[in-house]
Amino acid sequence: MNAPAKDLHARSDWTRGEIADLFALPFPELVFRAATVHRAHFDPTQVQTSTLLSIKTGGCPEDCGYCSQSSKYETGVKASKLMAVESVLAEARAAKEAGASRFCMGAAWRGPKDKDLDQVCAMVEGVKALGMETCVTLGMLTAEQAMRLKQAGLDYYNHNLDTSPEYYRHIVSTRSYQDRLDTLEHVRNAGMAVCCGGIVGMGENAEDRVGLIHALATLPVHPESVPINALVQIEGTPQALATPVDGIDFVRMIAVARITMPKSMVRLSAGRETMSEETQALCFLAGANSIFYGPRLLTTPNPVADTDRTLFAKLGLTPMPLD
Ligand code: SF4
């Protein structure tokens, strides 16, 4: 079976039925279709690398059921203040030297206060001056805050949908799905690129995975980056005992994201620490072309850069250069 020509074009009119049909394909057919779409838009040997730094850790008032940084759960993560601009820039320089092309900064807030936003804007300006792409994740944004970040030169704003609209209430109660969509709209209207994906392995069913992909792939413009995370179980959170996602199911998720959002960077995101090299290799084959690089993802471990370099060498992959 060849990839249908319509797979190769970005479209936002996907139906849940079409997406469910993709998930149901025999695995070799699904991966072949995804790889075909991948090759039509990208060099399949190149993987974009991003480094993520937590610029303000813990003490978050939200109750996302998977998160070590929520103040609602006893996870052992200590709340810290917003980092100084110079300290952040020192980390960005080190990330650049280690080969990262994008520097992502995350703050555990419901949304930024205006005085904090001044400091984040200074960080964005400093990282841009190093010649790196910038991304921040600060929680919910107003339209005005999105404009301020755009004016500071921010390239990407990360705000995930997490899961399907139906399953969402089992994961988060302090902000609604619509709140998230509103923030994404503000980011888009301000002219920034969107980084938006979700998490699998939180007890969702197959229909919820269809629902998450459907919510992402029917946004008026597809997110430029789509992080697909495998839940990292954190002791103390409601998701601490969730059953880990099956590796083949995770690859299917990557493949369906690739087919439905053909021009997006599909990021193999949290959960790589416990993922075998073989599963990661299948993800790259199925269209993943972005990873987080560096020893920590906010507060959870991530394969160290040397491990990634070894894996890249084994697979013949190279870091994607900046445009
Ligand atoms: S995921 Fe973000 S918003 Fe949710 S609790 Fe964690 S830091 Fe707060």
Side-chain angles (χ1 to χ4, degrees):
M1 184 198 292
N2 287 327
K6 67 179 184 179
D7 280 359
L8 303 179
H9 304 289
R11 59 190 184 98
S12 293
D13 61 352
W14 288 95
T15 66
R16 285 198 177 211
E18 285 176 303
I19 295 169
D21 288 348
L22 289 174
F23 273 104
L25 282 172
F27 190 75
E29 298 291 359
L30 174 63
V31 172
F32 176 74
R33 262 175 80 166
T36 306
V37 171
H38 190 190
R39 273 154 199 273
H41 299 285
F42 297 98
D43 178 340
T45 67
Q46 292 187 341
V47 176
Q48 187 265 336
T49 55
S50 303
T51 292
L52 176 59
L53 174 70
S54 178
I55 57 172
K56 191 269 164 198
T57 305
C60 181
E62 303 291 297
D63 69 350
C64 309
Y66 49 83
C67 183
S68 62
Q69 304 199 68
S70 169
S71 59
K72 314 277 190 220
Y73 315 126
E74 292 291 333
T75 63
V77 169
K78 270 185 63 188
S80 69
K81 289 197 175 133
L82 181 60
M83 283 174 73
V85 176
E86 254 323 304
S87 312
V88 171
L89 297 185
E91 298 269 358
R93 274 182 222 108
K96 188 181 177 189
E97 275 160 30
S101 57
R102 187 183 303 171
F103 194 66
C104 309
M105 295 166 271
W109 288 321
R110 177 171 167 81
K113 297 194 179 75
D114 287 342
K115 75 169 170 37
D116 294 327
L117 203 58
D118 290 339
Q119 208 166 318
V120 174
C121 286
M123 294 172 191
V124 169
E125 285 162 6
V127 176
K128 286 290 287 181
L130 296 175
M132 300 178 86
E133 285 185 322
T134 50
C135 178
V136 299
T137 181
L138 313 172
M140 291 188 284
L141 290 184
T142 63
E144 295 72 33
Q145 290 174 327
M147 282 308 298
R148 280 186 66 196
L149 287 164
K150 171 68 183 169
Q151 282 155 8
L154 185 67
D155 298 301
Y156 284 79
Y157 193 82
N158 164 266
H159 201 59
N160 289 333
L161 288 177
D162 286 358
T163 188
S164 68
E166 297 76 24
Y167 194 63
Y168 181 84
R169 66 190 168 85
H170 298 288
I171 304 297
V172 186
S173 75
T174 49
R175 68 171 82 160
S176 69
Y177 214 74
Q178 188 58 47
D179 288 334
R180 294 194 181 231
L181 293 169
D182 290 347
T183 290
L184 293 175
E185 196 179 333
H186 297 325
V187 171
R188 204 39 107 190
N189 289 343
M192 288 180 287
V194 168
C195 171
C196 180
I199 308 173
V200 287
M202 299 195 295
E204 74 284 346
N205 62 25
E207 180 57 31
D208 293 314
R209 291 182 189 166
V210 170
L212 169 61
I213 294 283
H214 181 257
L216 293 167
T218 56
L219 287 169
V221 178
H222 293 162
E224 282 78 0
S225 278
V226 180
I228 303 291
N229 298 278
L231 178 77
V232 177
Q233 293 91 350
I234 308 275
E235 220 180 301
T237 66
Q239 288 291 329
L241 299 176
T243 307
V245 62
D246 174 79
I248 298 296
D249 287 344
F250 189 80
V251 178
R252 283 184 182 277
M253 193 75 190
I254 295 279
V256 175
R258 167 52 64 220
I259 294 169
T260 52
M261 292 168 276
K263 296 183 178 176
S264 304
M265 308 290 270
V266 175
R267 178 173 303 145
L268 182 50
S269 214
R272 282 200 309 124
E273 175 77 4
T274 53
M275 208 175 273
S276 70
E277 287 187 341
E278 291 80 359
T279 302
Q280 293 187 59
L282 279 172
C283 288
F284 293 128
L285 185 63
N289 61 348
S290 174
I291 59 165
F292 275 122
Y293 199 61
R296 295 197 80 67
L297 271 186
L298 296 177
T299 66
T300 59
N302 196 43
V304 289
D306 273 353
T307 315
D308 287 333
R309 270 194 281 270
T310 306
L311 180 61
F312 272 34
K314 269 192 195 178
L315 300 177
L317 300 175
T318 53
M320 190 180 291
L322 272 177
D323 283 343

